[in-house]
PDB file of all heavy atoms in Angstrom:
ATOM      1  N   ARG B1577     -34.063  41.452  -5.401  1.00 98.00           N
ATOM      2  CA  ARG B1577     -34.123  42.395  -6.498  1.00 98.00           C
ATOM      3  C   ARG B1577     -35.061  43.524  -6.183  1.00 98.00           C
ATOM      4  O   ARG B1577     -35.957  43.381  -5.351  1.00 98.00           O
ATOM      5  CB  ARG B1577     -34.630  41.673  -7.770  1.00 98.00           C
ATOM      6  CG  ARG B1577     -33.742  40.445  -8.136  1.00 98.00           C
ATOM      7  CD  ARG B1577     -34.005  40.009  -9.547  1.00 98.00           C
ATOM      8  NE  ARG B1577     -33.496  38.648  -9.829  1.00 98.00           N
ATOM      9  CZ  ARG B1577     -32.222  38.396 -10.105  1.00 98.00           C
ATOM     10  NH1 ARG B1577     -31.318  39.358 -10.181  1.00 98.00           N
ATOM     11  NH2 ARG B1577     -31.801  37.156 -10.382  1.00 98.00           N
ATOM     12  N   ALA B1578     -34.832  44.682  -6.830  1.00 97.00           N
ATOM     13  CA  ALA B1578     -35.613  45.876  -6.566  1.00 97.00           C
ATOM     14  C   ALA B1578     -36.970  45.772  -7.199  1.00 97.00           C
ATOM     15  O   ALA B1578     -37.066  45.174  -8.310  1.00 97.00           O
ATOM     16  CB  ALA B1578     -34.887  47.102  -7.094  1.00 97.00           C
ATOM     17  N   CYS B1579     -37.949  46.404  -6.586  1.00 97.00           N
ATOM     18  CA  CYS B1579     -39.283  46.441  -7.140  1.00 97.00           C
ATOM     19  C   CYS B1579     -39.226  47.017  -8.571  1.00 97.00           C
ATOM     20  O   CYS B1579     -38.469  47.976  -8.818  1.00 97.00           O
ATOM     21  CB  CYS B1579     -40.155  47.360  -6.280  1.00 97.00           C
ATOM     22  SG  CYS B1579     -41.786  47.611  -6.922  1.00 97.00           S
ATOM     23  N   GLY B1580     -39.881  46.407  -9.542  1.00 97.00           N
ATOM     24  CA  GLY B1580     -39.912  46.914 -10.899  1.00 97.00           C
ATOM     25  C   GLY B1580     -38.833  46.302 -11.770  1.00 97.00           C
ATOM     26  O   GLY B1580     -38.865  46.500 -12.992  1.00 97.00           O
ATOM     27  N   SER B1581     -37.840  45.613 -11.157  1.00 98.00           N
ATOM     28  CA  SER B1581     -36.747  45.111 -11.969  1.00 98.00           C
ATOM     29  C   SER B1581     -37.161  43.829 -12.676  1.00 98.00           C
ATOM     30  O   SER B1581     -38.212  43.215 -12.402  1.00 98.00           O
ATOM     31  CB  SER B1581     -35.469  44.905 -11.137  1.00 98.00           C
ATOM     32  OG  SER B1581     -35.740  43.888 -10.165  1.00 98.00           O
ATOM     33  N   SER B1582     -36.293  43.395 -13.584  1.00 98.00           N
ATOM     34  CA  SER B1582     -36.565  42.179 -14.341  1.00 98.00           C
ATOM     35  C   SER B1582     -35.758  41.026 -13.854  1.00 98.00           C
ATOM     36  O   SER B1582     -34.590  41.158 -13.495  1.00 98.00           O
ATOM     37  CB  SER B1582     -36.201  42.393 -15.839  1.00 98.00           C
ATOM     38  OG  SER B1582     -36.493  41.194 -16.563  1.00 98.00           O
ATOM     39  N   ILE B1583     -36.412  39.836 -13.737  1.00 98.00           N
ATOM     40  CA  ILE B1583     -35.709  38.644 -13.322  1.00 98.00           C
ATOM     41  C   ILE B1583     -35.164  37.862 -14.545  1.00 98.00           C
ATOM     42  O   ILE B1583     -34.499  36.857 -14.447  1.00 98.00           O
ATOM     43  CB  ILE B1583     -36.557  37.709 -12.459  1.00 98.00           C
ATOM     44  CG1 ILE B1583     -37.822  37.195 -13.185  1.00 98.00           C
ATOM     45  CG2 ILE B1583     -36.968  38.407 -11.172  1.00 98.00           C
ATOM     46  CD1 ILE B1583     -38.596  36.134 -12.423  1.00 98.00           C
ATOM     47  N   SER B1584     -35.547  38.375 -15.779  1.00 98.00           N
ATOM     48  CA  SER B1584     -35.025  37.715 -16.967  1.00 98.00           C
ATOM     49  C   SER B1584     -33.662  38.365 -17.316  1.00 98.00           C
ATOM     50  O   SER B1584     -33.559  39.466 -17.804  1.00 98.00           O
ATOM     51  CB  SER B1584     -35.999  37.973 -18.136  1.00 98.00           C
ATOM     52  OG  SER B1584     -35.362  37.519 -19.342  1.00 98.00           O
ATOM     53  N   LEU B1585     -32.610  37.618 -16.960  1.00 98.00           N
ATOM     54  CA  LEU B1585     -31.221  38.177 -17.124  1.00 98.00           C
ATOM     55  C   LEU B1585     -30.747  38.080 -18.547  1.00 98.00           C
ATOM     56  O   LEU B1585     -29.796  38.764 -18.936  1.00 98.00           O
ATOM     57  CB  LEU B1585     -30.259  37.478 -16.136  1.00 98.00           C
ATOM     58  CG  LEU B1585     -30.681  37.458 -14.671  1.00 98.00           C
ATOM     59  CD1 LEU B1585     -29.671  36.805 -13.829  1.00 98.00           C
ATOM     60  CD2 LEU B1585     -31.005  38.875 -14.186  1.00 98.00           C
ATOM     61  N   ASP B1586     -31.365  37.187 -19.367  1.00 97.00           N
ATOM     62  CA  ASP B1586     -30.940  37.092 -20.740  1.00 97.00           C
ATOM     63  C   ASP B1586     -31.936  37.745 -21.712  1.00 97.00           C
ATOM     64  O   ASP B1586     -31.707  37.813 -22.916  1.00 97.00           O
ATOM     65  CB  ASP B1586     -30.675  35.601 -21.136  1.00 97.00           C
ATOM     66  CG  ASP B1586     -31.905  34.723 -20.944  1.00 97.00           C
ATOM     67  OD1 ASP B1586     -32.996  35.277 -20.660  1.00 97.00           O
ATOM     68  OD2 ASP B1586     -31.793  33.476 -21.033  1.00 97.00           O
ATOM     69  N   GLY B1587     -33.089  38.170 -21.167  1.00 96.00           N
ATOM     70  CA  GLY B1587     -34.079  38.925 -22.006  1.00 96.00           C
ATOM     71  C   GLY B1587     -34.702  38.056 -23.085  1.00 96.00           C
ATOM     72  O   GLY B1587     -35.341  38.590 -23.992  1.00 96.00           O
ATOM     73  N   ILE B1588     -34.559  36.762 -23.022  1.00 97.00           N
ATOM     74  CA  ILE B1588     -35.079  35.873 -24.080  1.00 97.00           C
ATOM     75  C   ILE B1588     -36.535  35.460 -23.754  1.00 97.00           C
ATOM     76  O   ILE B1588     -36.734  34.819 -22.700  1.00 97.00           O
ATOM     77  CB  ILE B1588     -34.184  34.642 -24.308  1.00 97.00           C
ATOM     78  CG1 ILE B1588     -32.790  35.045 -24.717  1.00 97.00           C
ATOM     79  CG2 ILE B1588     -34.801  33.708 -25.349  1.00 97.00           C
ATOM     80  CD1 ILE B1588     -31.788  33.912 -24.781  1.00 97.00           C
ATOM     81  N   GLY B1589     -37.423  35.775 -24.651  1.00 97.00           N
ATOM     82  CA  GLY B1589     -38.826  35.314 -24.464  1.00 97.00           C
ATOM     83  C   GLY B1589     -39.816  36.444 -24.541  1.00 97.00           C
ATOM     84  O   GLY B1589     -39.430  37.624 -24.648  1.00 97.00           O
ATOM     85  N   GLU B1590     -41.113  36.090 -24.485  1.00 98.00           N
ATOM     86  CA  GLU B1590     -42.163  37.107 -24.567  1.00 98.00           C
ATOM     87  C   GLU B1590     -42.257  37.819 -23.202  1.00 98.00           C
ATOM     88  O   GLU B1590     -42.370  37.184 -22.160  1.00 98.00           O
ATOM     89  CB  GLU B1590     -43.502  36.365 -24.842  1.00 98.00           C
ATOM     90  CG  GLU B1590     -44.651  37.302 -25.007  1.00 98.00           C
ATOM     91  CD  GLU B1590     -45.974  36.581 -25.290  1.00 98.00           C
ATOM     92  OE1 GLU B1590     -45.990  35.333 -25.213  1.00 98.00           O
ATOM     93  OE2 GLU B1590     -46.977  37.288 -25.543  1.00 98.00           O
ATOM     94  N   PRO B1591     -42.205  39.171 -23.223  1.00 98.00           N
ATOM     95  CA  PRO B1591     -42.179  39.871 -21.945  1.00 98.00           C
ATOM     96  C   PRO B1591     -43.423  39.594 -21.110  1.00 98.00           C
ATOM     97  O   PRO B1591     -44.510  39.461 -21.658  1.00 98.00           O
ATOM     98  CB  PRO B1591     -42.145  41.340 -22.358  1.00 98.00           C
ATOM     99  CG  PRO B1591     -41.646  41.335 -23.775  1.00 98.00           C
ATOM    100  CD  PRO B1591     -42.097  40.044 -24.378  1.00 98.00           C
ATOM    101  N   LEU B1592     -43.216  39.543 -19.819  1.00 98.00           N
ATOM    102  CA  LEU B1592     -44.318  39.355 -18.863  1.00 98.00           C
ATOM    103  C   LEU B1592     -44.166  40.390 -17.766  1.00 98.00           C
ATOM    104  O   LEU B1592     -43.091  40.478 -17.144  1.00 98.00           O
ATOM    105  CB  LEU B1592     -44.263  37.967 -18.304  1.00 98.00           C
ATOM    106  CG  LEU B1592     -45.304  37.607 -17.210  1.00 98.00           C
ATOM    107  CD1 LEU B1592     -46.719  37.564 -17.821  1.00 98.00           C
ATOM    108  CD2 LEU B1592     -44.978  36.255 -16.530  1.00 98.00           C
ATOM    109  N   ALA B1593     -45.249  41.176 -17.504  1.00 98.00           N
ATOM    110  CA  ALA B1593     -45.213  42.119 -16.389  1.00 98.00           C
ATOM    111  C   ALA B1593     -46.075  41.517 -15.253  1.00 98.00           C
ATOM    112  O   ALA B1593     -47.226  41.129 -15.492  1.00 98.00           O
ATOM    113  CB  ALA B1593     -45.823  43.431 -16.813  1.00 98.00           C
TER     114      ALA B1593
END
Side-chain angles (χ1 to χ4, degrees):
R1577 303 196 195 279
C1579 175
S1581 64
S1582 180
I1583 61 171
S1584 170
L1585 306 183
D1586 57 10
I1588 299 173
E1590 184 181 5
L1592 177 68

